[in-house]
């Protein structure tokens, strides 16, 4: 009789249709012995990319000197009051992306910024994006532009700020008073001080053009709301108040400016024991992080989302009397199908029964009409004021393509002779049909202001280097309008100028200086009060400055639907291109940050690349598979792209993440001048003004197929039938999930997924009577966005290894995000599970280390003693979770080079920089525990709950990670450990992990899910966990849903 | 002896054996046959072989230097296959290193006279195989310059090794095994070195052999203690030889990885070690006896007996393979079960089936006496077994690691050029040492073989 | 080799095992003790024939095995459970099962080594030379012949009788073995190479000893830096990136960290010791509790007592040491019980601690704001234990010297103030006590003996000169360069001189 007994409630997990169907090509690939991939093809460029990181040199570390280095202490001559060397200080600041400011808190170590975290007090939500996590890396990027330069005939001429200023005197100041032929292409900026400066600029150059440009903009939403409310208007969500959510192609948990606030509110309703659970419906073409969390997801083409909305609108109006019925209701094609009708009925029913406590949102990609309809629907449902509010966002703009198009037109006509690109990179990211580059070259004076010598910089006549936001004063408005301030954490490393000084220079006001200018504007807004100013700077924002509520909206124009879009896709139809903002490199501006490039995409798990993401059925119909390099054509523009087959991508759509394929960026993202190939594919080449979000009529050349090695962290290689069966057999044990009914019926259902004999050690186990650190991860709240991975990288000096090493399976991330699919390949559900060291009490890694390099602390953390490690890697073999990471090569070798010196600035001084040959892994942020202990114990106190916040916990937008002292009865983590949903991974090994997971709960609509059948016999077996009835037969059914 | 029975060396003694020394078997001939190899220029083949071995050894040197300078990343090891070829090679060589001491010690205790023809030979093989084996754990660590931390010597960290680790047991087991094997081998060599000393024509030979012969004169009072010591060492080496591969198997069995965590490993590893060790002895003995004219001392009967051991241990190994599957299924542990299904049908199925073919199927040919006594067949089979046993270690190490508990961490392992260079290079090291041994030292234990001739026995009853 | 030889043994040669066996029996029966048979391989039955007793070798092996095993247990127990225990996989510090493999291996290792070496030692090997080797035919002893040798040292040995005994045994040949007086020795080069090799083995030990005890100042050899030097900047590290060579960067003007409440100046008094009008706070702006005073006492003991002494009279160990060395230019720490200090408003004391005063550095970066106030609060309590402070505390009337007379000349009054504020008071007391230098009390008009032997009256001109150029005239008993030229204006000097003149007795 088996000693281990498991319920068979596991779902069939798979990755792609290849696996499911075992195509001949797939079989051939599987059967190849040692499939090494075309390694040689890209090894060379990868090498250069990482500055010979891969250890081609025969030098042993830095064996240049064989004597112990002399160490010097260089204290500050005049140390400021209360400044203790090595004790981190924290500054409020602000990071602005896409014209929306986010409040952050920057940790400064000896006057150097080392970590960016969310500002907990900021009214717009305590959040940082993955982009902000990588800001310190950007600050210390050796590829940043380090001086102004004049570019004559493509050659960089070394120049100086003086040279640029004399250029301004000669070429620009003569225009003062008119400004004819002068144009500025500026990044979207919410800064009130910049607005004031822009007014000065307009006074100085009344005829000049000032165009804002963002490659990714919320302009459709802005247009819709502006026409409804009669002025710039922004919606804010109270996701925590929504019982029912309908997100229409909206990644409001990941790519919304207020994503953290949204995610927090949303996740608070995904923890069933805390508050009644919400139900989330998502309609989207490409799988998004928001779609991961959805209880029901309907993959449709981007252009069909409006149809779904129409159908719901009609259903609501007809059956529930909510709002007015639309004139045309789609009933043919896709909308004639059962699942879609059931979905529409379920959504409409849920919305109608939760009037005032439901929420409908639409995404950036959707046209203005959809947004307008959504506003109307929300108001009709009584949600305004409850789950959504509309604010008058005076002065806030969302640039569209029209202004830029007009400017490019006049550039081409020769009407413009001076263009200033203020932080923008239109040569790279402007719509392809504008042919910006050729128009730009017709302008006599082309000035580029930016962080990098990027594509636009090299096409300009002058490039001047910008100060990084960590080096500069700035202000801005957050999404909710709160006036937010940025203070510099360090003097500009490369003498870059902030944008206030730069624009001041343009108008000949060399005296304009960001700090005083912003303070002047502050005084103008809030009265001259030095104390208020100082407090605002210290706090990072001025309270009470959020936007006021907008008035009543007008009536939304009726939504119409192109009937040609109703048909379900089949092979004979062209494809729909769906452009997506990338959650790693944004619109391409963060492309040179290795942490982000190596961060696996939340869904595809791809690193160091983007790809044409197509659905399983689509791939099947077109005969495409992973790694195929094929040519796509959209409106006559062709582009070769690697294919990635992604379950859940709507049939007939091609997901195209933007922001890759940089040719002039840096040694990470691509630099043609140094023969460094771009990372990924430049999908902007297909993006035109009429297809900024969706492009219809895309075709693919199926005949010419090349091979392109895409590298992902999870499915390093294709999986054969055996592996698939094995995986399907166990995932349900590892990632436990259930429905809300199941949970209500058996709150501790997760603990009974695996039955095993009582776990007893043959010896008396160690007791941890003092602190007992532990972690809990709520899988119900986790949406797999991967921010924890980057935060961990930044906190713990985790090195990047590069694409070919990731391909070999040597990525170093301490926190990895496992994701598995379940259900129908065309519309699967996704489970995400963050996995890092579990700090097992009976850690299997420890007993096999011959030199005691990994041992347990008295507080129960599994500590890695780097300088004791000799690198046998036995611990990794014996770790059932495979969370240990080995330095196979000296990943930090480039730091020893000249360029590396500046990168050393971004390293966390509290964490060892590991060398090759040693093992490493998550330490539970032991340096943060130590810092808290010093702080508390010096006062004779114990560490309190909340004193220690791990980096992953801090960044998690969904508050899915809990960390603290398990001996503290009142600590949040202890409560989570005691929660019924809590289970340990692989508990039968008697490892006693200190990290537990809380089973994911889905709140399924009864009409869309198989009926729930209560289990028998689950009640009376807690203690020994042994259970021998045949219940495993019935529990198999519950998961065959969707 | 009927073919239906399991071949057993012991049974053989019951039946009147053919003479262990053939041809003109007087004492002087034996001395002459063995000694002349060391006393005369070797055949051309030796020079060619030695040059090749040195070349391959040089490649090993370069590969190891590159490895130490750059990091273990030059190999194909990754996560989760943290142990790749180096550990496969280590276990492979340690296994080979088992035959010598087993033949010397165990067969000695069992009074198997036929051991004398091959024991020197296989002991030397043991020593060199263990040297090759010892190389791999040393170079596979991440920071080779601090590897001395595995020894219980005071160091700057004031820390001691962690004695619960099987790797530490390994350190003690393999080093003890090497030491005892070396002592055993050397002790057996001393009387033969004295023979070479006494036969030497040149002063330098006399001096060199003389120093290592320690002044041995063959006095009976010395022979008395010598034999007693030999017996004691044999008695000590016998449990040792069984323990070493058991300890090596603990490296796997003590961990909790599915496919490693089994109690069958110690006997299974020992059987496999004997299997591979005997195969290697055959691989080496077949050309050596032809090359150096030792056919009369290493007779077909010797080879046939070894082939019987190979067949027997091959079936033991086959039984272990089957038993592993049975246990995996019978335990009802899904991870354990998967590990074995994955071995046979997963991405490394080819390796598994190579292993089964070479180790289980190939030796079955020895049911036929003709095959057992056919030099070409036994040479080919022994090489098959060597290959099969290397793949056995590959299957255990790599296939178990490449897919363990969490599917998210599954990954494929592919060797690199350096992996190949270190594997092939280790053969260079082995053959360099072995060819030097063949050239300068008595390949057959002269004194011991003499004890097996009628001349060594009293013919009068007393 | 010497020509003087003496007989060593008689050697008989046999061709078969049977011959040697029967010969051995005969020699044994003849009662010889120092004799032996020499055979190319071990011959069974020869031990019995010779009457060789069983060797004791197995006992050595047994003892060594027990020793090895016990050492194995002890070593693992001591190293893992006693000397450096750590928590490993939650297991007990000491658990025998995990230690068995190593105990076993050590048992075998010790036994084997002992057996091996004991056997050679008992066999008297290695030996460079045997007299038997001088006999040419004896070379076949390791080939195909059997020999029996009876040594002359045997008590029964008789040249002719022994030889005839051997003849009786049927020896094929009998030969006398001669032994030179001086036995051959290993060649000198062999000895030297052995010596060199032996010394070579000591080299690592010598290097270790050298490294352990050498006093060389060059940093130690460090081939692989590993993580001893990491690619990051710790506190106060140097950096080549910045002009000032420091990795630490100064806070930028106008930026405020959360820790920077003192720069926000929301509550200026708390951070500066002054109120909005710029006047010093009279009292500590924090509620003074027992804990707060205790905190102040601790901070005072840590930061202040080394100079000011635990009781605040200025006799801290630093001062004592400086006085004992008669350090030139040493300005002793103030007696904190002096009336002028006790009279200071608390805000002024706070400022002195924050910004420093005279040669005392500012402590703003070393002591937190709250702790500085704690020290001020403690100081008040400390002063309360002494007279001047007690008067402040309990309102006793101040003495005449400490308060300027109300009818004082304004110039003199200003001088009195300057005497304190310009820190003259640190060295020149007003009550006749000698601090670093003479008291001002009664200085005016007195005669000063100078080091050059002359004398001068301390008149107004002298006082002016002494303030402006303190080294112009050095009074006996004082060293030049001691006094610092005070940064004062001419007017202030006038006032000071007037004040000093007013102290004329």
């Amino acid at each position: 009789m088996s000693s281990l007994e498991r319920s068979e409630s596991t779902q069939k997990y798979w990755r792609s249709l290849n696996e499911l169907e075992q195509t001949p090509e797939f079989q051939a690939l599987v059967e190849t012995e040692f499939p090494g991939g075309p390694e040689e093809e890209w090894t060379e460029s990868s090498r250069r990319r990482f500055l010979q990181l891969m250890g081609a040199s025969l030098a042993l570390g830095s064996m240049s000197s064989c004597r112990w280095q002399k160490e010097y202490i260089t204290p500050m001559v005049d140390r400021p009051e209360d400044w203790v060397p090595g004790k981190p200080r924290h500054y409020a600041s602000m990071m602005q992306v896409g014209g929306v400011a986010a409040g952050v808190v920057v940790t400064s170590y000896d006057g150097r910024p080392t970590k960016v975290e969310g500002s907990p007090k900021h009214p717009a939500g305590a959040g940082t994006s993955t982009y902000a996590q990588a800001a310190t890396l950007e600050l210390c990027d050796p590829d940043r532009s380090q001086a102004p330069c004049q570019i004559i005939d493509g050659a960089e001429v070394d120049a100086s700020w003086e040279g640029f200023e004399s250029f301004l005197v000669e070429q620009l100041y003569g225009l003062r008073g008119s400004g004819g032929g002068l144009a500025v292409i500026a990044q979207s900026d919410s800064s009130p001080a910049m607005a004031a400066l822009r007014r000065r600029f307009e006074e100085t150059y009344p005829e000049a053009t000032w165009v804002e440009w963002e490659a990714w903009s919320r302009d459709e939403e802005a247009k819709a709301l502006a026409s409804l409310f009669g002025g710039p208007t922004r919606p804010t969500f109270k996701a925590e108040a929504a019982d029912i959510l309908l997100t229409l192609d909206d990644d409001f948990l990941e790519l919304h400016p207020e994503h953290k606030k949204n995610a927090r509110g949303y996740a608070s309703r995904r923890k069933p024991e805390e508050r009644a659970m919400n139900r989330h419906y998502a309609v989207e073409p490409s799988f998004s992080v928001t779609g991961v969390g959805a209880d029901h997801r309907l993959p449709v083409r981007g252009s069909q989302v409006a149809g779904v909305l129409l159908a719901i609108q009609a259903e609501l109006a007809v059956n529930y009397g909510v709002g007015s019925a639309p004139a045309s209701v789609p009933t043919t094609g896709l909308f004639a199908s059962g699942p879609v009708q059931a979905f529409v009925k379920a959504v409409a029913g849920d919305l109608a029964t939760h009037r005032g406590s439901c929420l409908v949102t639409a995404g950036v990609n959707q046209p203005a009409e959809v947004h307008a309809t959504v506003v109307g629907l929300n108001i009709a449902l009584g949600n305004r004021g409850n789950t959504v509010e509309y604010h008058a966002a005076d002065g806030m703009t969302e640039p569209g393509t029209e202004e830029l198009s007009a400017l490019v037109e006049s550039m081409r006509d020769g009407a413009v002779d001076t263009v200033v690109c203020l932080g923008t990179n239109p040569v790279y990211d402007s719509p392809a049909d504008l042919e910006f580059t050729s128009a730009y070259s017709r302008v006599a004076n082309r000035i580029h202001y930016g962080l990098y010598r990027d594509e636009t910089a090299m096409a300009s006549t002058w490039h001047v280097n910008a100060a990084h936001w960590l080096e500069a004063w700035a202000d801005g408005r957050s999404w909710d309008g709160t006036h937010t301030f940025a203070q510099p954490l360090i003097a500009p490393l490369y003498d870059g100028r902030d944008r206030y000084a730069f624009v001041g220079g343009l108008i000949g006001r060399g005296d304009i200086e960001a700090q005083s200018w912003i303070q002047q504007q502050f005084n103008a807004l809030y009265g001259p009060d030095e104390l208020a100013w100082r407090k605002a700077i210290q706090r990072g924002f001025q309270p009470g400055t959020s936007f006021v509520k907008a008035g009543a909206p007008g009536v939304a124009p009726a939504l119409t639907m192109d009937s040609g879009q109703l048909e379900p896709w089949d092979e004979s139809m062209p494809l729909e291109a769906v452009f997506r903002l990338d959650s790693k490199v944004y619109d391409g501006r963060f492309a040179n940050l290795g942490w982000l490039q190596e961060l696996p995409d939340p869904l595809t798990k791809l690193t160091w690349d983007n790809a044409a993401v197509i659905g399983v059925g689509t791939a099947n119909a077109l005969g495409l598979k992973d790694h195929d390099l094929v040519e796509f054509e959209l409106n006559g523009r062709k582009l070769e792209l690697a294919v990635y087959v992604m379950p859940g991508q709507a049939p007939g759509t091609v997901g195209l993440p933007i922001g890759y394929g940089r040719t002039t960026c840096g040694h990470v993202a691509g630099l043609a001048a140094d023969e460094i190939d771009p990372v990924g594919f430049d999908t902007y080449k297909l993006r035109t003004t009429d297809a900024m979000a969706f492009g219809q009529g895309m075709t693919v050349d199926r005949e010419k197929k090349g091979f392109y090695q895409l590298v992902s962290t999870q499915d390093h290689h294709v999986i054969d039938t055996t592996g698939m069966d094995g995986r399907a057999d166990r995932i349900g044990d590892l990632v436990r999930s259930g429905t809300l009914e199941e949970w209500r019926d058996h709150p501790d259902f997760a603990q009974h997924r695996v039955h095993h004999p009582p776990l007893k050690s043959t010896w008396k186990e160690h007791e941890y009577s003092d602190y007992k650190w532990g972690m809990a991860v709520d899988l119900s709240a986790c949406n797999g966005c991967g921010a924890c991975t980057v935060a961990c990288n930044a906190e713990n000096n985790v090195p990047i290894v590069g694409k070919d090493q990731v391909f070999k399976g040597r990525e170093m991330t301490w926190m990895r995000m496992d994701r598995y699919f379940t259900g129908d390949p065309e519309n699967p559900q996704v489970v995400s599970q963050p996995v890092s060291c579990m700090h097992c009490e009976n850690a299997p890694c420890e007993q096999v280390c011959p030199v005691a390099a990994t041992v347990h602390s008295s507080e129960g953390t599994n500590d890695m003693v780097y300088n004791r490690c000799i690198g046998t890697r036995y611990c990794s073999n014996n770790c059932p979770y495979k969370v240990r990471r080995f330095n196979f090569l000296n990943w930090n070798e480039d730091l020893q080079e000249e360029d590396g010196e500046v990168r050393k600035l971004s390293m966390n001084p509290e964490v060892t920089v590991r060398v090759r040959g040693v093992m490493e892994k998550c330490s539970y942020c032991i340096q943060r525990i130590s810092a808290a202990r010093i702080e508390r114990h010096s006062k004779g106190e114990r560490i309190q709950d909340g004193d220690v916040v791990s980096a992953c916990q801090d960044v998690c937008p969904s508050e899915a990670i809990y960390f603290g002292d398990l001996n503290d009865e009142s600590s949040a983590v202890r409560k989570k450990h005691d929660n019924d949903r809590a289970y340990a991974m692989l508990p039968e090994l008697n490892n006693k992990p200190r990290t537990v997971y809380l089973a994911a709960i889905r709140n399924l609509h009864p009409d869309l899910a198989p009926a729930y059948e209560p289990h028998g016999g689950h009640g009376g077996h807690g203690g020994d966990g042994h259970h021998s009835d045949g219940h495993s037969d019935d529990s198999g059914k519950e998961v065959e849903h969707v | 002896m009927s073919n239906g029975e399991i071949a057993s060396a012991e049974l053989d003694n019951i039946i009147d054996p053919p003479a262990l020394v053939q041809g003109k078997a007087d004492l002087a001939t034996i001395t002459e046959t063995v000694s002349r190899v060391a006393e005369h220029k070797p055949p051309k083949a030796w020079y060619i072989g030695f040059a090749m071995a040195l070349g391959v050894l040089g490649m090993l040197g370069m590969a190891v230097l590159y490895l130490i300078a750059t990091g273990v990343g030059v190999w194909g090891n990754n996560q989760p296959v943290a142990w790749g070829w180096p550990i496969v090679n280590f276990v492979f060589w340690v296994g080979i290193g088992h035959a010598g001491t087993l033949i010397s010690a165990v067969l000695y205790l069992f009074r198997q006279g036929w051991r004398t023809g091959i024991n020197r030979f296989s002991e030397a093989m043991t020593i060199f195989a263990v040297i090759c084996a010892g190389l791999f754990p040393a170079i596979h660590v991440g920071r080779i310059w601090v590897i001395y931390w595995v020894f219980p010597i005071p160091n700057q960290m004031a820390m001691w090794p962690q004695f619960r680790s099987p790797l530490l047991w390994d350190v003690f087991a393999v080093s003890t095994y090497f030491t005892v094997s070396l002592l055993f081998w050397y002790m057996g060599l001393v009387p033969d070195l004295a023979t070479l000393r006494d036969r030497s024509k040149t002063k330098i030979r006399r001096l060199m052999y003389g120093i290592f012969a320690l002044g041995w004169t063959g006095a009976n009072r010395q022979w008395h203690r010598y034999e007693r010591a030999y017996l004691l060492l044999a008695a000590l080496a016998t449990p040792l030889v069984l323990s070493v591969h058991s300890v090596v198997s603990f490296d796997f069995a003590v961990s909790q990885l599915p496919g490693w965590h089994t109690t069958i490993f110690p006997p299974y590893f020992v059987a496999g070690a004997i299997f591979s060790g005997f195969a290697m002895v055959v691989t080496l003995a077949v050309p050596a006896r032809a090359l150096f004219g030792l056919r009369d001392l290493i007779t077909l009967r010797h080879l046939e007996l070894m082939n019987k051991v190979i067949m027997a241990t091959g079936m033991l190994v086959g039984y272990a393979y089957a038993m592993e599957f049975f246990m995996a299924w019978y335990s009802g542990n899904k991870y354990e079960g998967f590990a074995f299904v994955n071995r046979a049908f997963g991405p490394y199925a080819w390796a598994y089936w190579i292993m089964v073919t070479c180790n289980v199927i190939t030796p079955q040919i020895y049911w036929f006496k003709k095959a057992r006594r056919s030099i070409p067949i036994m040479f080919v089979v022994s090489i098959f077994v060597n290959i099969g046993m290397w793949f056995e270690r590959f299957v255990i190490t790599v296939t178990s690691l490449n897919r363990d508990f969490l599917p998210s961490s599954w990954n494929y392992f592919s060797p690199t050029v350096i992996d190949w260079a270190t594997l092939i290079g280790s053969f260079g090291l082995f053959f360099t040492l072995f060819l030097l041994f063949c050239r300068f030292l008595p390949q057959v234990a002269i004194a011991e073989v003499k004890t097996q001739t009628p001349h060594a026995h009293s013919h009068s009853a007393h | 080799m010497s020509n003087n030889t003496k007989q060593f043994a008689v050697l008989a040669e046999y061709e078969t095992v049977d011959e040697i066996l029967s010969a051995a029996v005969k020699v044994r029966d003849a009662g010889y003790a120092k004799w032996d048979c020499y055979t190319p391989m071990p011959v069974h039955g020869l031990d019995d024939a010779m009457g060789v007793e069983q060797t004791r070798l197995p006992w050595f092996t047994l003892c060594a095995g027990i020793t090895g095993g016990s050492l194995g247990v002890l070593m693992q127990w001591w190293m893992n459970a006693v000397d450096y225990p750590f928590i490993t996989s939650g297991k007990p510090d000491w658990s025998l099962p995990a230690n068995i493999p190593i105990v076993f291996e050590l048992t075998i290792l010790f036994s084997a080594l002992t057996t091996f070496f004991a056997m050679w030692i008992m066999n008297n090997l290695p030996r460079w030379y045997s007299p038997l080797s001088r006999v040419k035919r004896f070379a076949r002893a390791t080939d195909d012949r059997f020999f029996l040798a009876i040594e002359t040292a045997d008590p029964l040995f008789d040249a002719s009788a022994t030889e005839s005994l051997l003849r009786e045994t049927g020896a094929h040949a009998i030969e006398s073995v001669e032994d030179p007086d001086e036995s051959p020795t290993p060649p000198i080069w062999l000895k030297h190479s052995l010596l060199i090799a032996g010394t070579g083995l000591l080299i690592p030990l010598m290097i270790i000893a050298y490294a352990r005890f050498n006093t060389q100042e060059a940093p130690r050899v460090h081939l692989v830096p590993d993580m001893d030097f990491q690619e990051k900047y710790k506190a106060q590290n140097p950096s080549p990136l910045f002009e000032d060579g420091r990795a630490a960067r100064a806070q930028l003007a106008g930026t405020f960290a959360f820790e920077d409440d003192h720069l926000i100046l929301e509550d200026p008094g708390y951070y500066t010791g002054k109120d909005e009008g710029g006047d010093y706070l009279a009292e500590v702006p924090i509620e003074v509790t027992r804990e707060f005073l205790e905190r102040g006492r601790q901070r005072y003991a840590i930061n202040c007592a080394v100079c000011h002494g635990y009781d605040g009279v200025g006799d801290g160990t630093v001062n004592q040491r400086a006085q004992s060395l008669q350090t030139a230019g040493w300005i002793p720490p103030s007696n904190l019980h002096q009336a002028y200090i006790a009279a200071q408003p608390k805000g002024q004391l706070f400022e002195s601690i924050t910004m420093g005063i005279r040669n005392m550095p500012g402590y703003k970066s070393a002591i937190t704001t709250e702790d500085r106030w704690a020290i001020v609060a403690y100081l008040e309590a400390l002063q309360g234990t002494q007279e001047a402070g007690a008067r402040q505390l309990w309102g006793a009337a101040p003495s005449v010297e400490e308060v300027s007379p109300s009818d004082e000349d304004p110039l003199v009054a200003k001088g009195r103030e300057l005497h304190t504020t310009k820190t003259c008071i640190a060295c020149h007391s007003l009550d006749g006590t000698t601090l670093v230098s003479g008291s001002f009390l009664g200085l005016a008009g007195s005669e000063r003996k100078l080091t050059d032997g002359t004398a001068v009256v301390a008149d107004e001109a002298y006082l002016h000169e002494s303030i402006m150029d303190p080294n112009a005239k050095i009074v006996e008993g004082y060293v030049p360069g001691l006094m610092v030229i005070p940064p004062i204006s001419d007017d202030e000097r006038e006032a000071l001189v007037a004040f000093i003149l007013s102290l004329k007795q």
Side-chain angles (χ1 to χ4, degrees), chain A residues 744-791:
Chain A
R744 283 206 190 104
D745 209 18
H746 298 293
D748 59 348
F749 73 94
Q751 292 162 14
H752 299 285
R753 277 283 150 83
V754 177
H755 289 173
H756 48 75
L759 301 173
K760 283 189 179 135
S761 301
T762 52
W763 61 87
K764 188 174 170 294
E765 285 180 10
H766 197 88
E767 276 170 23
Y768 299 92
S769 52
D770 195 13
Y771 297 111
K772 186 174 172 180
W773 302 109
M775 189 178 270
V777 181
D778 194 333
L779 296 178
S780 209
C782 174
N783 57 28
C785 71
C788 46
T789 306
V790 188

Side-chain angles (χ1 to χ4, degrees), chain C residues 418 421-424 467 484-490 492-493 496:
Chain C
L418 286 169
T421 55
K422 293 295 174 184
T423 74
C424 314
I467 295 172
V484 186
I485 306 168
I488 56 174
S489 65
D490 290 350
E492 286 169 338
R493 195 173 68 240
L496 256 181

Side-chain angles (χ1 to χ4, degrees), chain A residues 281-356:
Chain A
Y281 299 91
V283 182
E284 56 186 15
S286 289
F287 230 128
S288 70
V289 158
T290 303
V292 167
D295 297 299
H296 296 286
R297 179 175 175 274
L298 184 67
V300 294
R301 297 205 292 281
S303 50
Q304 289 173 331
V305 171
V308 178
L309 180 59
L310 268 179
I312 292 169
Q313 207 185 359
E315 182 74 20
L316 278 171
V318 173
N319 287 343
Y320 301 98
V322 177
S324 53
S328 66
V329 179
T331 49
T332 57
L334 184 73
F335 295 91
S337 76
V340 174
Q341 287 185 341
F343 185 88
V344 166
K345 275 198 189 322
V347 174
D350 266 349
L351 289 176
T353 49
H354 292 86
R355 282 175 231 195

Side-chain angles (χ1 to χ4, degrees), chain B residues 101 107 202 378 428:
Chain B
T101 308
L107 298 186
T202 64
M378 74 174 74

Side-chain angles (χ1 to χ4, degrees), chain A residues 839-848 856 862 878 991, chain C residues 88-90:
Chain A
H839 294 261
C840 314
E841 275 182 24
N842 296 341
C845 48
E846 292 171 359
Q847 69 197 31
V848 296
H856 244 61
N862 167 241
N878 212 23
N991 291 336
Chain C
T88 305
S89 301

